[in-house]
Structure formats: C-alpha cells, structure tokens
Amino acid sequence: MPYDVTRTTLVGMTHIPPPAEELRLLDAELWQLDARRAQLLARRAWLVAALQQAWPAPVAPPRPEAPAPRVQNVLLLLGGVLLTIAAMVFTLVSWGHLGIGGRAVVLGAVTLAALAAPAVLLKRGLRSTAESVAGLGLALTVLDAYALHEAALAGADGTGYAAVASAVLAVLWAAYGLLPTTCDLRLPLPAALVSAQFPLLLWSLAADAVPYGVTAAILVTAGFDTVVAFRATARSVRVVAAVGAYGAGTCGALTAGLLSMTATGPSAAARAAALLLLGAAIALGAAWRSQDEKRALGLAGTAGLLVVAAFGGVARPALSEVWTVPVYLACGIALLAAVRAGRLPEAVRHGFAWASGAVQALALLWTLSVVGLAVLGPVEWVEHAWSGTPSDARAAVTLDGLWPQHAQTAPLVLAAVAAVLALTVRNVVWRPRALRGALGLTWAGVLVLPAVFELPYWTSLVTHGALTAGALAAAVYVRRGAAAPDGTSARPFTSSQLTALVLALITSLSLAFLSLASQTATLTVLCVLTALFAAASWPSRLAPVTAPAALAYAAALACATGAALDWQPSHTALLVLAVPVAAALLAARLGSAPATVPVEATGAATGLLAVGLVLADPPLLALVLALGGVIAAGTAIRPDRRPVGYAAAALFVLATWVRLAAWDVETPEAYTLPVTAPALLLGVLRRRRDPRASSWTAYGPGLAATLLPSLVAAWGDAHWTRPLLLGVAALLVTLLGARHHLQAPLLLGGWVLALDALHELAPYLVQVTDALPRWVPPALAGLLLLALGATYEQRIRDVRRVREVLGKMN
C-alpha cells in the first residue's frame, strides 16, 4: 500500500473479508487450538501416569525418631544425674579416706566449679549444658549441707538442722538464680521454691508441735506459695508455686477439718477453727486475685466451706450431738449474707452461694434416712397385716427396728432449707424450681414429724391423709391457675402440678401400707383415698393420674372388704369385678379424653387381679371370665373400641372351656364348637362387608378350630360315631365350598373327609396287605410309576387346570 494514502481514504476502503466474518474465523481457530491443547494435556497426563507406574517411587529418607535437641537434653540429663550420684557416693562412702582439710577442699572446690561453670556456658550460648551443670551444683550444695552436719554439727538435732538447712538452701538458690550472670537459668528459682516448702514443717516437727503446729506450718506454707504464684513472673516458678499451694492447702484444710470434728473441748475447737479460718483466708485471697472465673469460683467455694466448718466446729462441743447438723446448717445459711454483699467480686459471691448450697445438700443427705423410713418403712406391714395397732408412730414405720440416732432435728433441717429456697432464690429461671423444692422439703418435714416425736399411731395416719389431700388440692389449684387464655384447661401438666401429684401418690401409698396395722384403719383409709382421688378427678384435668389411682384404691378396698368379711379369695374376686365395670362406664363417659386409656388399662389390670384371685375355683373362674367377657363386649359397642370384641370372644370361649373342664367334659368338640360358631359368624359378617375378602381369612380359622382337633380325636377313637359325624360334617363343608366356589371350605373339608375315610378303611387295607404276596406292593408301585411317567404331560396339564380353578375361587 502506498505511503501517501490518506486516513480518510483508508476509512472508506472495504475490508476483505468483512470484519464480522473475520471475527468468526478467528473464534473458530481459537476453539480448534483450545481443543488441540486439551487433547495434548490429556495425552501428557496419561504418559506421566504410565511413567510413574513403570518407575518405582523414590524412597523417602527415614525420619529420625529422636530429634537432635531431644538427644541433647537426654544426654545432659543423664550426665547430670550420673555426676550427682557420683558426688553422693563420694560424700557418703569415700568421705572417710580424706582428712578434714582435704574433704572441705575437694567438696567445696567441686561445688564452686559447678556453680560457676553455668555463667561461662551461658556466655557461649550453651544453655542446656548450663542448666545441667547448674543442677549438679544445686545437688552438691545439698551434699555440702549433709557433710557439714556429719563433720561439724553431728550433735545437733537432725530435724531442726534439716529445717535450717532447707531454709538456707532456699535463700542461696534464690540468690543464685537472681544473679546477673545466672539469671537466665530456669532451674534455681523453682528449686529454691521447692526447698522453701520444708523449713516450717520441719521446724514444727522439731518443736514437737503436733498436731496444731504442724497444720499451721502447712497452711502458712500454702499461703506463701499462693503469694509467690500471683507475684512471680517466671512460668516455671508459678507452676511450682501453684502445685505447692494446692497440695499444702488441701492437706492443711483436711487436717484442720479433722481436728475440728474430733475436738472435745472449747479450746481444741477454737484452735482448729483458727486453722480453718487461716485456710479460708488463703483461699479467699487467691479467689479475689484470680483472673480465671472458674478457678475463683472453686477457691471461693472452698473458703466458704472452711468458714462454715470453723464456726460450726466452735459451737459443736458446747451443744448436744443432736444439734450438730443444725449448727453447721445455720452457719451455711448465714454464709448467704456474704452473697448479698455488693463489695465482693461476682465470682466470690457465686462461690459462697455454692458453698452454702453444698452445706444444705449435706444436711439434707443426713435427713434422707429418716425420710426414707417414714415413706418406705410402712411397706413391712404387708407381712404383718392386721396384727395389731403399734405403740406409736415411730414403731409404725420401723416395726420396732432401728431408728437413726440424733434424728430429732430432722424436721427442723428440712424446714430451714425449704425456707431458704422459698425466700432467697429470686432468679427467674431458678425461682420455679426452688419453689418446687421447697414444697417437697416441706412435705418431707411434715411427714416425719409423728415418727420423730413418737406421737400416737393415729396422728401418723392423720398426717399422711392431710398431706395427701393437701397435695391433691395444690395440684388442682395450680391447674386452675394455669388455665389457657380462652378459659379452658387444655394445656399439659405444669412442673408444679406434676410435683404435687407425685407427692400425693407417694404419700397415699405410704398411708395405705401404714393402715395395714389395723383392719378398721385399712378400710377407713382405703375409702378415704378412693374418695379423694375420685374427687380430684372430677373437676380438673388430673384424671389421667388420679382416676386410675382411685380405681386402684377401690380394688384394694374390695379386697380388704372381702378379707374383713372372711370371704374366700374366689368370692372376693366377684367384688373386685365392680372396679372394671366402673372403669368401663367411666371410659365410655370420658370418650376421647386423655384419661380414657389410663382408666381402661387400670380396669383391665383389676380384671386380671380378679382372675388371679379365683384361679383355685374353676366354676367361679368360668363365671369371672364370662363377666369379664360381658364387660369387654360392652366396651366393644363403642365405635372406637371395636377390636375389644376379639377380647370379649376370647373371654367367653375361655369361660366355656373352664366350665366344661369343671364338668369333667373330655369331648374336644365341646371345646371347639364354641370357638367355631362365633368365628364363622364373624367370617360371614366380614364377607358381607367385603366380598373380596379371602375365604381363608373369613372361614379358615373357624373351620380349622373344630375339624382338625376332631380329626385327631377320630384317628384315636375306636368307635364309629365320631368318624361318621366328622365325615358327614366334612362332606357338608366340602359341598358348601364347591357350591359357593370358596377355596378354604373346599380344601379343608375335602382333606378332612379323605383322611377320615382313610382312617375308616385302614383296618381293611391292612388285612388286604397281609393277604397279598410280598411281591405285589412293589409291583403295584412300579406300575403306578410307569403310568405316571407315561401320562406325565397330561398330568401337568390337569394340575394346572386344578390350580386355575382353585385360583378363581375366593
């Protein structure tokens, strides 16, 4: 193109090809290049994989099991240990081979060299080696102290000298660890702290200050460790101090608590209390300074427990043993005053609250034996029913057995804890739970009062009855108060209502067992309990719990009434049947209410109780079973309880069987026909509702119930009456099945008819077989096989036709 072509001319020139066509061609070329590149990459990946499979993978060099720093530390540690052992052997064994000067020079020179070497090693950067050598030097100082005692101070007291030596070594090691040249060593300061654990303890032992002085020394050491743990900057020192503080503090606190519990006089109790307060001050100071909330909570709780133990221990020797638990409980409750103090940190106040709760829980644990006797003790009256009224309420729950010592203050403890729960817990979440706990504790306190104070037997009955009525009333009141916004009571049980119901049930059971001591008391109590639970079921939605309880107590009342009238158990069973009748009527009235199923289940259980009572009397058993069938049939009238009709039929059949057995009837048809008749009737009704129902389902069980047992009896019957009647019945069943094209009657009747006929022909077949020569049966069998083989295909077609005909039948 000439250079003199103007820009205007270039713009007006036509592109060959046009720009759009050229852009399309470029895109096509780029797409082809991308496709070719993808093919080449895939081929390359395949070749790389093939080469990797052909060439073995390079073996990685083995990883060293012990890194170089670990090997170094182990070697240095072993070296220091061996040198220390050698120094000990030299000091203890070879000491006598040198004179006084030689001994001092050798041991002193080695010690100074071992203590000076770390400074030089630190300058050269050999820190680990310096630590090992420093450890050797510290061990040599201990040997120097021992050598000094053996050489120059052999007459001094060993324990006192050890106390002074440990203190001196602690100071020397701390100074050595703080020197500018050795301050980088990590071993001297923790070692000095370890050595500082012994001076006070050893000094108290040397002064024969056992046990109070030793305990004080341990607690002071724990306080010293606590201060060091909060003020030290080195982590290793803080760890050692914390371990020492927890170890010494725990040992000292436990020892002081033991001294407080075993103190026999005011002086000993006061000294033990001072030790406990010292431990509490240490724990409280640590909790105040701690930045960890959980740790502060635990330390504050420990301090609170120690304070309670201190003040309770001071008051304990001056009072009777019966007041021991209330005194400690009072101290624990008084600890709650510190919780209200606003100046204390939050974690400390929570710790005090937990400490107070722990004291109250321990006090409640102490009352558990008394409450358990008051609740479960009356169960023993089952073996001594109506043996006579006990002398008092305590004898009623223990049957003159063991009673816990010093339990007179158990009601006071229960009442105090209940008051604390009701008055002090203000948290929105915990408030309902605290009120439920207070209700339970109040119930327990009132329950044990008659036994604790040995009140008359009737007061125990009245107390149990009043508690039962009160708990039921509380449950009804809570339910009414918890009504839904629309005025109904459709909401489920609340926790408070459930608590009241549980308490009512427990108290009523205890009352029922407690009343077994006297016949009059038993009948009166069971009447009252039945009325109470029935009344609680009427106006409220408590019926799922209270209605079954009322029925159960009514059944117990029926049994007690029969026993009071000197009836036989079989006659009492007829009286018990009134409870299932009442349950069936009540369930019909309730309809689909939540209490319907519990009521029906209780009625069924009482029906089983009646059956159990009458098992020894077959005629009455048949009557009870029949009455139970009537009750079940009445229940089955309801549309939602149609399946109960099967239970009614079963009960009627069982009643018939029991009656026949009582009459010594041995004919099986007498037992099977009462089953067959209703079963066939039900089958007919089902086929009317559902014509497509299988004949095996509708008629199979009923026909088999009579035909099969009769066939078994006919095969063992030597007379002709039963086989004849069975054959006639089987023939009629077969004809009916063929007439109505029903598979079950046709096959069952046909097979029974064939087997019955075979039974009748069996004697003649046996005679014929005996008369024939022995070769005739094998010959007949062979001919039969040949005939079957010759007409095999025709037989297959016939079998298929029979199968098709049977398949078309219902």
Side-chain angles (χ1 to χ4, degrees), residues 256-359:
L258 182 61
L259 292 175
S260 177
M261 291 298 297
T262 57
T264 56
S267 177
R271 285 182 288 173
L275 294 175
L276 289 171
L277 291 177
L278 175 59
I282 296 171
L284 182 59
W288 204 298
R289 291 289 304 274
S290 179
Q291 301 297 325
D292 189 344
E293 184 176 355
K294 293 183 179 179
R295 187 179 304 168
L297 180 65
L299 291 171
T302 302
L305 291 176
L306 293 176
V307 170
V308 171
F311 288 102
V314 170
R316 182 187 59 81
L319 300 173
S320 175
E321 291 186 6
V322 74
W323 294 101
T324 299
V325 175
V327 164
Y328 282 102
L329 178 61
C331 295
I333 295 174
L335 190 63
L336 292 175
V339 178
R340 301 293 180 181
R343 297 181 179 180
L344 295 177
E346 187 73 14
V348 174
R349 292 193 290 113
H350 286 172
F352 283 172
W354 280 105
S356 178
V359 173

Side-chain angles (χ1 to χ4, degrees), residues 53-279:
Q53 293 178 358
W55 294 347
V59 180
R63 183 179 179 181
E65 296 182 358
R70 184 176 301 175
V71 173
Q72 167 191 309
N73 294 334
V74 172
L75 293 177
L76 291 175
L77 178 61
L78 289 176
V81 170
L82 291 176
L83 288 175
T84 303
I85 294 174
M88 293 174 63
V89 172
F90 171 76
T91 304
L92 300 176
V93 179
S94 302
W95 186 258
H97 297 289
L98 296 176
I100 256 193
R103 289 182 255 176
V105 170
V106 171
L107 198 55
V110 174
T111 303
L112 291 176
L115 294 176
V120 179
L121 294 174
L122 287 174
K123 289 182 180 180
R124 295 176 177 266
L126 303 175
R127 182 183 183 88
S128 299
T129 306
E131 294 285 355
S132 299
V133 176
L136 174 62
L138 298 180
L140 289 174
T141 57
V142 178
L143 295 177
D144 289 336
Y146 171 76
L148 179 61
H149 179 268
E150 293 297 323
L153 302 173
D157 178 62
T159 306
Y161 178 80
V164 175
S166 59
V168 173
L169 288 177
V171 174
L172 291 178
W173 291 351
Y176 179 72
L178 296 175
L179 291 176
T181 56
T182 57
C183 61
D184 292 334
L185 294 174
R186 290 177 293 185
L187 184 60
L189 292 179
L193 186 57
V194 171
S195 180
Q197 306 300 307
F198 303 101
L200 290 177
L201 176 61
L202 295 174
W203 172 79
S204 62
L205 292 174
D208 197 15
V210 180
Y212 295 96
V214 174
T215 306
I218 295 174
L219 289 174
V220 172
T221 303
F224 169 74
D225 291 335
T226 303
V227 174
V228 174
F230 282 104
R231 291 188 175 274
T233 57
R235 184 176 181 275
S236 58
V237 177
R238 293 200 305 270
V239 171
V240 173
V243 172
Y246 280 111
T250 302
C251 182
L254 292 178
T255 306
L258 182 61
L259 292 175
S260 177
M261 291 298 297
T262 57
T264 56
S267 177
R271 285 182 288 173
L275 294 175
L276 289 171
L277 291 177
L278 175 59

Side-chain angles (χ1 to χ4, degrees), residues 720-732:
W720 60 271
T721 307
R722 177 179 282 113
L724 178 61
L725 295 177
L726 177 62
V728 172
L731 178 61
L732 292 177

Side-chain angles (χ1 to χ4, degrees), residues 278-519:
L278 175 59
I282 296 171
L284 182 59
W288 204 298
R289 291 289 304 274
S290 179
Q291 301 297 325
D292 189 344
E293 184 176 355
K294 293 183 179 179
R295 187 179 304 168
L297 180 65
L299 291 171
T302 302
L305 291 176
L306 293 176
V307 170
V308 171
F311 288 102
V314 170
R316 182 187 59 81
L319 300 173
S320 175
E321 291 186 6
V322 74
W323 294 101
T324 299
V325 175
V327 164
Y328 282 102
L329 178 61
C331 295
I333 295 174
L335 190 63
L336 292 175
V339 178
R340 301 293 180 181
R343 297 181 179 180
L344 295 177
E346 187 73 14
V348 174
R349 292 193 290 113
H350 286 172
F352 283 172
W354 280 105
S356 178
V359 173
Q360 296 176 57
L362 291 174
L364 292 179
L365 186 63
W366 172 75
T367 65
L368 190 59
S369 60
V370 181
V371 178
L373 272 177
V375 175
L376 302 178
V379 177
E380 296 184 10
W381 281 105
V382 174
E383 300 178 357
H384 307 277
W386 297 356
S387 59
T389 304
S391 58
D392 53 49
R394 181 178 298 183
V397 299
T398 59
L399 287 180
D400 297 327
L402 295 178
W403 177 259
Q405 293 183 352
H406 314 304
Q408 292 86 341
T409 55
L412 177 61
V413 171
L414 293 168
V417 179
V420 169
L421 291 176
L423 298 177
T424 61
V425 179
R426 299 297 182 184
N427 185 275
V428 177
V429 177
W430 288 95
R431 177 68 176 172
R433 303 175 187 177
L435 292 178
R436 292 195 297 271
L439 175 63
L441 293 176
T442 304
W443 165 82
V446 176
L447 189 68
V448 301
L449 277 175
V452 168
F453 294 108
E454 298 182 274
L455 299 178
Y457 168 69
W458 64 268
T459 60
S460 182
L461 296 177
V462 172
T463 302
H464 281 69
L467 285 176
T468 304
L472 286 176
V476 173
Y477 173 77
V478 170
R479 186 60 192 170
R480 289 177 178 175
D486 57 355
T488 63
S489 301
R491 293 195 301 175
F493 290 164
T494 62
S495 299
S496 300
Q497 185 183 29
L498 185 60
T499 302
L501 280 176
V502 171
L503 294 179
L505 290 174
I506 293 175
T507 314
S508 65
L509 287 173
S510 180
L511 174 60
F513 286 116
L514 190 64
S515 67
L516 292 177
S518 169
Q519 175 179 315

